[in-house]
Amino acid sequence: MNKTLAKDTAHKTASRTISKAAVIGSGVMGSGIAAHLANAGIPCLLLDVVPKSPSAEDEKAGLSLGDPKFRNKLATKAIAALPKSSSAPLYAADFVERITPGNITDHFHLLKDVDWIIEVVTEKLEIKKSILKQIEEVVKEGTIVSTNTSGISVNAMVEDCSVNFRRNFIGTHFFNPPRHMKLLEIIPGYDTDPQITAFMADFCTKRLGKGVVLAKDTPNFISNRIGTYGLLVTLHEMQENNYTVEEVDAATGPVLGRPKSATFRTLDLVGIDTFVHVAQNVYDSVPAGPEKDIFTVPDVLNELVAQGWIGEKGGQGFYKKVKGEEGSKILSLDLSTMNYNPSAKVRSASIEAAKAVKGSKKKIKAFLGAKDRYSELAWNVLKQVLVYSAEKLGEIADSIEDIDNAMKWGFNWELGPFETWDLIGLPESVQRMEAEGLVVPAWVKEWIAAGNRSFYEQKDGAVFHFYKGAYKEVEIQPEVISLQSLKAQNKVIRQNSGANLIDLGDDVACLEFTSPNNAIGADILVMIQQSAEEVRNNYRGLVIANEGRNFCVGANLMLMLMEAQSGDWDEVDDIIRLFQGSMMKLKGLEKPVVAAPHRMTLGGGVEACLPADRIIFSAESYFGLVETGVGLIPAGGGCKELALMTSDRYRDPDSDLQPELNRIFEMIAMAKTSTSGHEALRMYGRRHDSVVMNQDFRIYEAKQAVLEMERAGYQPNLPAKARVAGRDGRAVLQVGALGLKNSGYISDHDYLIARKLAHVLTGGDVAQGTVVSEQYLLDLEREAFLSLLGEVKTQQRMQHMLSKGKPLRN
């Protein structure tokens, strides 16, 4: 978000709020936006047109033209589909209850009761103009009205509306699917009140968790303008130099800092017909010249659309999946013959050079530096995209930061165009571009001539970027804490090969995992113990968080497997004891501890969070104890913590622990993982745990929670005891597992794992109602883990997971 804009008008917009919204149009985007509003706790009306006439199915159900069920049919059907959608638009299935269906004939008057109306009707200017004019007639004073469009002029839509209406009108371009795509392009109109722009940028960042960029009202705005250009340039290079579909994707995917879907898989996912529409939008809007030539839709795309080969939704596009006797195969399209052939693996020196290094920046440099046919393709595409981005600065957006963020958040690039330009060397690359006949914008050459060697610059822990001819500091929201920036400011307190302890300020420290995939090994466990001592002596509290792609994928599986296969059981026992002891040190720390997990938080990652006083889940948290998938059970305190939580929730000695134990047993035995932070809260959450919508705010919120607890007079956790279900409870769980085995749902080895798990969760061979210590439960965990690790089938599962990346059911 543009912080300066928000700051200048914050005092004027502080009193404004959005407590209820309405979405007009219940298609894929409309229903998806309504779902995300529901995710944010905003009740929403979802309105669509009344169907023209009842279908045979309607008549069979007794629905007539005047029946409300029939008249609301489109919106009702869209809402009903949300919990079942493969794109999982809702954080929790019951959030659907926050959406109310209706139609624009009978319920338009209800728009006067909402604070934000989002128009998401067909991408045709005249239809949008008509619906917005109707909205103007019923809307109350001050209601914000926005349009979700991928590229139609925001100003043209409301040219027939009053100035007063236009002051509260703005473009809000959500990317599909709205829950999962971070980018939200906000497009102010000529008459949009700056206070509305500032409020919407702030609200959508904080409440909806979006990455907001300010775009100008130009064809396709920022992300689609540059992204579409890049895809078309790639097609031109492909046809000119006879590359195959697979070769293009190999050279324009992760090796170039782009998603695995690269070019053609992306087009298949987006829909080739949709892409053609977006490209045509620019073609129709720009004057004759080189840019219009680039946006001329290639004949091959028009042919694919004509044949219905429009990608995944059409069953085939540039790729086609076919089933044969040996299973499914992926075919790729030969554009010269329009026939499908088996997809071929692409190998080259440049691709292998990129794969040999870790980190997107190193990959890009290694790939482009290894000169061959594929790196040449990538360079020929990249140089044109960089120059085009520079040409459009000032036209599509004023800030290179907005352009870079739009491409990272909208197209999932690792680096934006200007960040990439810095990476490959600005002066050197410009010199090469010009030598190859490319015309580089004058402002870029002037910037270099002034002695600047990059668009971004770091100085004294702050980041500066090019802005209208000078360096301007990148303003960071107070709610965003960057560990990378703090490390650049020498705020590291302790470090080793797997973790850092970082000073967050205000005497709060942060434990950051840095190992590959943030997997927990001995280095992280040692740092946990050292961090506990450091915080105990010198800090007010501890945050556990990191900026990796995922919070933690679990314990170091390879290490465990190697030790088991070598028969060094004493070493394995020591590692488990170290893990358990480290978690107990966190739990017993005399200062508050808050964990802030994000995205994949599995196995040992969950166990590193459970000892914390509070967990602040990112909305996108996939949280679960998944050890049974590799033939083990949690042994870092996960079973123990859930047994304690069950006992704590049912403190009355006469209360029945069994229903909750059944739930927990199934959750762990089936290796269930939450699909969101909200679901994680329901599965694992305690009274004080919470969810933060914007993942970028999680470290700040965790720090604030530490300070809040410390100011309130934090009382450390005392050693806990658990009332357990004992032999009787274990029998219930094991009978359930036996039934699944006898029915063929689980294997003999699954049954063995389930029996061990049941033994631990219920407290072992004791009477029902026995009260046991934490250490007693930890010992049960460790014994079960060691026993299972010695099983050949468990080791086979571990090996399969390490080599194939998916579980083996043996």
Side-chain angles (χ1 to χ4, degrees):
M1 186 188 76
N2 186 315
K3 185 185 170 190
T4 303
L5 175 65
K7 184 169 62 178
D8 289 345
T9 57
H11 65 287
K12 298 177 181 176
T13 61
S15 60
R16 182 183 283 274
T17 187
I18 292 174
S19 56
K20 190 173 183 181
V23 175
I24 315 296
S26 66
V28 172
M29 277 305 297
S31 61
I33 291 170
H36 197 59
L37 293 172
N39 287 335
I42 303 168
C44 180
L45 284 170
L46 182 62
L47 307 183
D48 211 316
V49 296
V50 175
K52 291 182 179 178
S53 60
S55 65
E57 185 179 346
D58 293 328
E59 291 175 348
K60 187 176 179 180
L63 299 181
S64 64
L65 192 60
D67 195 310
K69 285 186 178 180
F70 168 75
R71 299 176 72 77
N72 299 340
K73 174 183 171 181
L74 296 181
T76 301
K77 187 176 180 180
I79 294 169
L82 289 172
K84 307 168 191 173
S85 171
S86 59
S87 67
L90 294 163
Y91 289 150
D94 59 355
F95 285 5
V96 75
E97 295 167 10
R98 298 170 180 173
I99 310 173
T100 302
N103 66 79
I104 60 175
T105 302
D106 303 327
H107 304 115
F108 223 60
H109 66 282
L110 297 178
L111 297 182
K112 70 180 185 303
D113 299 323
V114 306
D115 306 300
W116 181 17
I117 301 167
I118 311 171
E119 169 274 306
V120 199
V121 301
T122 305
E123 282 283 87
K124 293 184 179 178
L125 177 59
E126 291 308 315
I127 294 176
K128 286 183 177 288
K129 288 178 72 172
S130 173
I131 200 76
L132 289 168
K133 192 65 180 168
Q134 294 175 56
I135 291 171
E136 182 182 17
E137 294 173 3
V138 299
V139 73
K140 70 181 178 185
E141 182 73 23
T143 299
I144 296 170
V145 180
S146 72
T147 176
N148 183 76
T149 174
S150 59
I152 297 176
S153 171
V154 169
N155 288 293
M157 289 183 204
V158 289
E159 61 186 6
D160 298 331
C161 296
S162 67
V163 172
N164 193 45
F165 181 82
R166 296 201 298 264
R167 286 196 187 104
N168 295 293
F169 180 73
I170 197 165
T172 50
H173 179 206
F174 289 83
F175 275 60
N176 192 34
R179 166 189 167 178
H180 297 285
M181 293 301 291
K182 182 174 182 177
L183 180 61
L184 174 62
E185 292 178 324
I186 286 185
I187 311 101
Y190 299 140
D191 298 308
T192 304
D193 186 337
Q195 293 181 40
I196 297 296
T197 304
F199 169 78
M200 289 300 290
D202 185 68
F203 179 85
C204 293
T205 300
K206 294 177 180 175
R207 189 71 182 272
L208 301 187
K210 291 298 171 189
V212 171
V213 300
L214 291 183
K216 296 193 175 185
D217 188 18
T218 55
N220 291 4
F221 313 126
I222 302 174
S223 189
N224 279 342
R225 182 73 169 267
I226 293 173
T228 304
Y229 178 90
L231 288 167
L232 288 168
V233 163
T234 304
L235 266 169
H236 286 226
E237 287 295 322
M238 172 192 187
Q239 293 179 312
E240 199 169 304
N241 295 292
N242 299 313
Y243 289 96
T244 67
V245 165
E246 303 99 305
E247 287 176 324
V248 170
D249 275 356
T252 58
V255 294
L256 200 58
R258 309 287 169 79
K260 289 182 180 179
S261 56
T263 298
F264 293 113
R265 289 190 191 279
T266 296
L267 283 171
D268 278 355
L269 288 168
V270 168
I272 297 167
D273 55 336
T274 300
F275 177 79
V276 167
H277 170 77
V278 172
Q280 190 68 41
N281 189 49
V282 179
Y283 177 87
D284 293 339
S285 305
V286 297
E291 184 178 18
K292 196 177 189 77
D293 293 342
I294 287 290
F295 280 95
T296 302
V297 177
D299 291 340
V300 65
L301 295 185
N302 287 322
E303 185 175 345
L304 288 171
V305 172
Q307 294 194 48
W309 298 359
I310 56 176
E312 280 206 353
K313 61 186 178 183
Q316 63 192 84
F318 287 101
Y319 291 96
K320 181 180 181 181
K321 190 174 185 178
V322 295
K323 292 183 179 179
E325 293 180 2
E326 299 178 2
S328 297
K329 284 196 291 188
I330 302 295
L331 308 180
S332 60
L333 185 64
D334 183 337
L335 299 190
S336 63
T337 65
M338 297 302 284
N339 293 324
Y340 286 95
N341 301 313
S343 189
K345 189 79 173 175
V346 178
R347 299 185 185 279
S348 78
S350 61
I351 292 171
E352 294 308 312
K355 288 180 178 178
V357 296
K358 292 183 178 179
S360 55
K361 291 183 179 181
K362 290 181 180 178
K363 283 185 184 294
I364 295 168
K365 292 192 79 169
F367 176 56
L368 294 175
K371 310 292 185 185
D372 66 10
R373 170 176 165 79
Y374 301 106
S375 61
E376 182 182 357
L377 166 64
W379 166 252
N380 286 338
V381 171
L382 179 62
K383 68 181 180 182
Q384 294 181 71
V385 171
L386 299 185
V387 167
Y388 186 72
S389 300
E391 289 174 348
K392 295 300 144 189
L393 181 65
E395 179 183 335
I396 62 176
D398 286 329
S399 164
I400 66 166
E401 186 187 14
D402 277 341
I403 292 176
D404 279 345
N405 284 337
M407 300 316 299
K408 289 188 292 185
W409 298 338
F411 274 71
N412 293 319
W413 292 6
E414 293 288 339
L415 300 172
F418 296 97
E419 291 171 324
T420 303
W421 217 333
D422 281 356
L423 176 69
I424 64 176
L426 177 59
E428 300 84 353
S429 61
V430 166
Q431 187 176 18
R432 180 181 173 185
M433 290 171 184
E434 292 191 311
E436 293 173 356
L438 217 55
V439 179
V440 177
W443 73 263
V444 175
K445 294 193 287 184
E446 290 167 4
W447 181 245
I448 296 170
N452 300 295
R453 298 187 61 81
S454 63
F455 293 114
Y456 291 87
E457 181 182 72
Q458 282 197 351
K459 188 176 180 181
D460 300 326
V463 179
F464 298 81
H465 68 91
F466 171 89
Y467 187 77
K468 297 185 177 179
Y471 274 125
K472 177 186 176 183
E473 185 175 352
V474 175
E475 297 185 71
I476 306 298
Q477 287 178 282
E479 296 89 352
V480 176
I481 293 178
S482 167
L483 298 182
Q484 183 178 356
S485 176
L486 289 171
K487 286 185 282 188
Q489 298 172 53
N490 299 315
K491 297 292 185 180
V492 176
I493 305 163
R494 290 175 176 266
Q495 67 182 131
N496 65 21
S497 59
N500 296 315
L501 185 66
I502 301 168
D503 188 343
L504 296 180
D506 298 316
D507 295 326
V508 178
C510 178
L511 175 63
E512 176 197 34
F513 301 165
T514 60
S515 61
N517 296 316
N518 289 334
I520 297 176
D523 45 8
I524 288 178
L525 297 175
V526 168
M527 181 58 71
I528 288 174
Q529 304 230 6
Q530 293 176 347
S531 298
E533 287 302 312
E534 184 73 41
V535 171
R536 174 179 291 111
N537 295 325
N538 300 307
Y539 288 84
R540 299 166 73 181
L542 178 68
V543 168
I544 306 173
N546 62 68
E547 294 173 333
R549 177 171 177 78
N550 298 298
F551 177 80
C552 176
V553 298
N556 188 328
L557 202 60
M558 176 64 80
L559 174 64
M560 288 292 184
L561 180 60
M562 289 172 61
E563 297 292 358
Q565 289 178 335
S566 66
D568 196 344
W569 296 107
D570 288 340
E571 182 66 23
V572 176
D573 186 69
D574 286 344
I575 292 171
I576 301 169
R577 288 179 186 272
L578 177 61
F579 201 129
Q580 292 180 341
S582 300
M583 298 307 112
M584 289 298 286
K585 274 192 176 292
L586 282 176
K587 186 171 184 180
L589 186 60
E590 292 89 344
K591 306 292 179 68
V593 178
V594 178
H598 66 283
R599 295 186 59 82
M600 285 206 305
T601 304
L602 306 176
V606 171
E607 292 178 304
C609 293
L610 291 177
D613 298 288
R614 291 186 190 176
I615 304 175
I616 296 180
F617 296 98
S618 166
E620 297 297 342
S621 291
Y622 319 125
F623 196 87
L625 292 167
V626 297
E627 286 85 349
T628 59
V630 289
L632 298 166
I633 69 162
C639 294
K640 179 262 294 184
E641 283 297 319
L642 291 178
L644 286 171
M645 285 165 56
T646 301
S647 177
D648 185 57
R649 287 173 180 170
Y650 298 90
R651 295 182 183 182
D652 184 339
D654 296 325
S655 60
D656 187 4
L657 299 173
Q658 199 67 51
E660 180 67 2
L661 281 173
N662 293 346
R663 183 188 74 83
I664 289 171
F665 175 74
E666 180 184 358
M667 189 170 74
I668 301 176
M670 303 303 290
K672 289 185 178 180
T673 302
S674 73
T675 58
S676 70
H678 290 82
E679 191 176 11
L681 198 60
R682 296 178 182 188
M683 291 168 66
Y684 290 91
R686 293 80 54 91
R687 284 188 297 274
H688 300 297
D689 296 341
S690 60
V691 178
V692 61
M693 284 292 287
N694 193 316
Q695 183 172 296
D696 296 339
F697 294 176
R698 68 189 186 282
I699 299 175
Y700 170 86
E701 294 294 345
K703 176 184 172 182
Q704 297 309 306
V706 165
L707 293 172
E708 174 195 327
M709 284 188 281
E710 193 268 346
R711 284 192 295 264
Y714 177 74
Q715 295 181 7
N717 294 303
L718 298 175
K721 291 186 179 294
R723 180 170 65 94
V724 296
R727 290 183 290 270
D728 293 346
R730 180 182 66 194
V732 172
L733 298 181
Q734 289 183 349
V735 165
L738 181 61
L740 291 174
K741 182 178 87 76
N742 291 338
S743 302
Y745 288 105
I746 63 174
S747 68
D748 288 343
H749 194 54
D750 291 324
Y751 179 55
L752 173 65
I753 298 164
R755 285 170 52 205
K756 299 278 187 184
L757 177 62
H759 183 75
V760 175
L761 287 175
T762 56
D765 195 17
V766 297
Q768 187 175 21
T770 301
V771 176
V772 300
S773 68
E774 290 189 74
Q775 188 58 54
Y776 173 84
L777 290 169
L778 287 173
D779 290 342
L780 290 180
E781 279 188 358
R782 191 176 67 258
E783 291 164 9
F785 186 93
L786 287 166
S787 171
L788 288 168
L789 187 58
E791 295 283 339
V792 172
K793 288 188 176 180
T794 286
Q795 293 179 20
Q796 290 172 345
R797 289 189 179 193
M798 295 170 74
Q799 186 66 56
H800 192 270
M801 178 61 74
L802 288 166
S803 60
K804 304 291 186 181
K806 55 185 178 181
L808 171 69
R809 307 309 304 212
N810 57 352

